[in-house]
Amino acid sequence: MTAAARSRIAAGCYICLVLTSAVLGAVRGSALPYVLAIVLTLPFGVPAAVCVYGGYAALRAVGSVWASSTRPDGSDAAWLAAGSSVLNVLLFTAAATANVLLARVVLRRRAARRQAEHRTGA
């Protein structure tokens, strides 16, 4: 197995780990898996967490035009709970994917810099 293949497998496993954590947070309604997803996706986890709150507010504002955003007991409507859960999973998965892409760019630049230094003898 080549190093590139191992790198792709590791990236896929990392993204699946973040995806699983976000799905567990959505299904259980628990904060701990979401916190794990934020920590795993640093540095892009911070903007993703901010977008979670902004996305919830946007879903609630836009969706409330067509349907009530609360149930009679005061809890979130099913469409809002499902929509925000899907949004959370998508945002954290996108943050993990962005981290993988950032890591590839950084590693390629380092390799190119090392090759240039090696050629010049520095």
Side-chain angles (χ1 to χ4, degrees):
M1 182 180 296
T2 66
R6 282 191 304 268
S7 174
R8 283 191 295 273
I9 290 170
C13 289
Y14 163 70
I15 292 170
C16 285
L17 177 64
V18 172
L19 174 73
T20 302
S21 179
V23 167
L24 282 174
V27 169
R28 292 184 179 170
S30 173
L32 185 61
Y34 284 133
V35 171
L36 178 62
I38 292 169
V39 170
L40 286 173
T41 57
L42 288 175
F44 287 107
V46 173
V50 171
C51 289
V52 162
Y53 289 103
Y56 177 83
L59 277 173
R60 186 176 195 126
V62 172
S64 293
V65 172
W66 292 282
S68 176
S69 62
T70 57
R71 294 182 188 159
D73 66 355
S75 63
D76 285 342
W79 68 265
L80 182 58
S84 64
S85 295
V86 169
L87 179 67
N88 295 349
V89 171
L90 290 175
L91 285 170
F92 288 119
T93 304
T97 304
N99 280 336
V100 167
L101 296 175
L102 176 66
R104 285 184 181 168
V105 167
V106 168
L107 292 174
R108 284 183 185 154
R109 286 184 182 173
R110 282 185 188 172
R113 189 177 328 131
R114 284 188 192 134
Q115 285 180 350
E117 289 173 357
H118 181 70
R119 278 187 240 136
T120 60

